[in-house]
Amino acid sequence: MKPILLQGHERSITQIKYNREGDLLFTVAKDPIVNVWYSVNGERLGTYMGHTGAVWCVDADWDTKHVLTGSADNSCRLWDCETDSNEPYMRIPCNDSKITSAVWGPLGECIIAGHEGGELNQYSAKSGEVLVNVKEHSRQINDIQLSRDMTMFVTASKDNTAKLFDSTTLEHQKTFRTERPVNSAALSPNYDHVVLGGGQEAMDVTTTSTRIGKFEARFFHLAFEEEFGRVKGHFGPINSVAFHPDGKSYSSGGEDGYVRIHYFDPQYFEFEFEA
């Protein structure tokens, strides 16, 4: 699979995210920029500049009318996509444990956030109050992504695991284990597949080869929790992965500053997992 390369950030990519229709791709990085791309050809459509430091996460709600971002100042910002304003209409601060990942919950009624200490919080999108709190990870949660039907979500953590949860109750369902920190995880919209991206800590990259650093995207079966494939490409840790909503491709963003859009070969759709 030959990727399309996008380069619109001056520092390392922290997260990439498709909207529900799959025509838009949002990217954020350790620079204070949120880029919006046309996913078919990689054309940049717009930029949000309302941050003063690194942006850790981004997500569009179900109808792409609102976008949330999580930033280095330990807060979530909510933006109105139907205006040209570079100022958010709401800000949710968190004083207990730094917000490191966040997504819109089902139908945009709540926000699910992951924290530096491994906690998960469900916040009201109207008031910002905490509705549900759980802790299933022992270290920082790097990423959260919902399933296509919004009933489940997957987390990625520095504790070397990705985990599946119920999106309403936050009840833990499945665990996908690796030998390195997991920076990002995404659920296929068409198959019982999970893709994980990660590798070693970014600070150790210059002293380690690509092979030893485990910089491949890794595919697991959702029900059996077993790995069945890997894809190479980045020259450093993969910081973010995302399936296209049609399930025919996925994208990865890395510490090298590049975003790669990978279209699956025909063999992927013919593959049958043997338990």
Side-chain angles (χ1 to χ4, degrees), residues 3-103:
I4 299 172
L5 297 181
L6 312 179
Q7 191 173 22
H9 294 278
E10 296 180 355
R11 299 191 62 192
S12 301
I13 302 295
T14 52
Q15 190 169 54
I16 55 177
K17 189 69 67 71
Y18 287 101
N19 67 337
R20 188 168 177 81
E21 290 74 23
D23 58 332
L24 300 179
L25 182 66
F26 296 82
T27 65
V28 293
K30 291 179 181 178
D31 53 33
I33 298 172
V34 181
N35 280 319
V36 187
W37 310 82
Y38 185 44
S39 65
V40 175
N41 60 12
E43 177 188 357
R44 181 158 54 179
L45 301 177
T47 300
Y48 290 94
M49 300 289 290
H51 291 278
T52 58
V55 185
W56 301 120
C57 55
V58 63
D59 191 37
D61 66 354
W62 66 280
D63 57 2
T64 322
K65 290 184 177 180
H66 302 97
V67 170
L68 72 80
T69 55
S71 62
D73 66 357
N74 198 24
S75 68
C76 278
R77 287 177 169 87
L78 308 186
W79 310 79
D80 188 340
C81 295
E82 297 185 318
T83 69
D84 295 327
S85 174
N86 261 328
E87 294 296 327
Y89 68 85
M90 184 175 178
R91 182 174 175 270
I92 301 175
C94 182
N95 300 320
D96 297 328
S97 179
K98 185 173 76 172
I99 293 175
T100 51
S101 54
V103 294

Side-chain angles (χ1 to χ4, degrees), residues 180 200 208-215:
R180 293 289 190 276
Q200 67 191 99
T208 308
S209 72
T210 301
R211 179 179 59 83
I212 297 174
K214 309 292 185 183
F215 302 144

Side-chain angles (χ1 to χ4, degrees), residues 44-212:
R44 181 158 54 179
L45 301 177
T47 300
Y48 290 94
M49 300 289 290
H51 291 278
T52 58
V55 185
W56 301 120
C57 55
V58 63
D59 191 37
D61 66 354
W62 66 280
D63 57 2
T64 322
K65 290 184 177 180
H66 302 97
V67 170
L68 72 80
T69 55
S71 62
D73 66 357
N74 198 24
S75 68
C76 278
R77 287 177 169 87
L78 308 186
W79 310 79
D80 188 340
C81 295
E82 297 185 318
T83 69
D84 295 327
S85 174
N86 261 328
E87 294 296 327
Y89 68 85
M90 184 175 178
R91 182 174 175 270
I92 301 175
C94 182
N95 300 320
D96 297 328
S97 179
K98 185 173 76 172
I99 293 175
T100 51
S101 54
V103 294
W104 291 99
L107 301 179
E109 296 178 352
C110 64
I111 294 166
I112 302 169
H115 295 262
E116 189 175 37
E119 305 91 348
L120 280 169
N121 280 329
Q122 187 184 91
Y123 296 93
S124 167
K126 293 182 178 179
S127 66
E129 68 174 312
V130 177
L131 304 175
V132 185
N133 172 265
V134 299
K135 183 174 181 180
E136 294 289 346
H137 285 287
S138 61
R139 297 186 65 193
Q140 176 174 306
I141 297 174
N142 293 321
D143 188 25
I144 304 173
Q145 297 197 38
L146 260 70
S147 61
R148 177 68 174 171
D149 62 6
M150 299 185 179
T151 61
M152 303 178 294
F153 66 88
V154 65
T155 58
S157 173
K158 281 189 175 182
D159 66 9
N160 298 359
T161 69
K163 296 189 177 186
L164 188 73
F165 294 85
D166 181 279
S167 61
T168 302
T169 64
L170 305 192
E171 180 182 356
H172 175 224
Q173 306 285 336
K174 299 283 184 179
T175 300
F176 312 96
R177 305 182 187 278
T178 73
E179 67 282 353
R180 293 289 190 276
V182 184
N183 294 335
S184 184
L187 298 164
S188 168
N190 298 341
Y191 301 99
D192 289 334
H193 297 170
V194 186
V195 61
L196 275 58
Q200 67 191 99
E201 298 284 352
M203 67 184 70
D204 299 325
V205 171
T206 57
T207 61
T208 308
S209 72
T210 301
R211 179 179 59 83
I212 297 174

Side-chain angles (χ1 to χ4, degrees), residues 205-256:
V205 171
T206 57
T207 61
T208 308
S209 72
T210 301
R211 179 179 59 83
I212 297 174
K214 309 292 185 183
F215 302 144
E216 308 102 331
R218 302 171 66 166
F219 288 79
F220 286 75
H221 193 278
L222 183 68
F224 301 112
E225 303 168 294
E226 294 183 13
E227 184 179 352
F228 65 87
R230 299 187 182 190
V231 176
K232 298 180 180 179
H234 288 279
F235 294 98
I238 296 173
N239 291 341
S240 187
V241 292
F243 274 102
H244 189 280
D246 67 10
K248 297 179 180 179
S249 64
Y250 82 97
S251 295
S252 58
E255 189 72 19
D256 55 12

